[in-house]
Amino acid sequence: MKIKELDVVRLKDGREGTVLEVYTDPVAFLIETDEDMSLWPTVGPDEIVEITYHSK
């Protein structure tokens, strides 16, 4: 599964959000959720269940 910026993903904990940043070493993703900005998670690929929308 190739995840890129602006894709919408569902996390293992049920939250859904938009990928704002993709880090490469180690691979991680900053996810914008409906929560306060200070609570936006940075997660590894193992925390993402599915991509619900692919950006173009």
Side-chain angles (χ1 to χ4, degrees):
M1 150 169 68
K2 173 80 169 145
I3 301 168
K4 58 186 191 276
E5 284 185 18
L6 302 181
D7 284 349
V8 177
V9 297
R10 185 178 330 280
L11 303 178
K12 282 185 177 178
D13 64 10
R15 292 181 290 175
E16 189 170 86
T18 304
V19 177
L20 293 184
E21 192 79 38
V22 178
Y23 305 106
T24 56
D25 191 22
V27 175
F29 307 93
L30 174 63
I31 309 295
E32 175 187 22
T33 62
D34 289 337
E35 303 166 313
D36 182 84
M37 191 173 165
S38 66
L39 299 174
W40 291 351
T42 299
V43 300
D46 59 322
E47 292 296 312
I48 296 174
V49 175
E50 67 177 324
I51 301 171
T52 59
Y53 173 80
H54 279 287
S55 66
K56 295 185 182 210

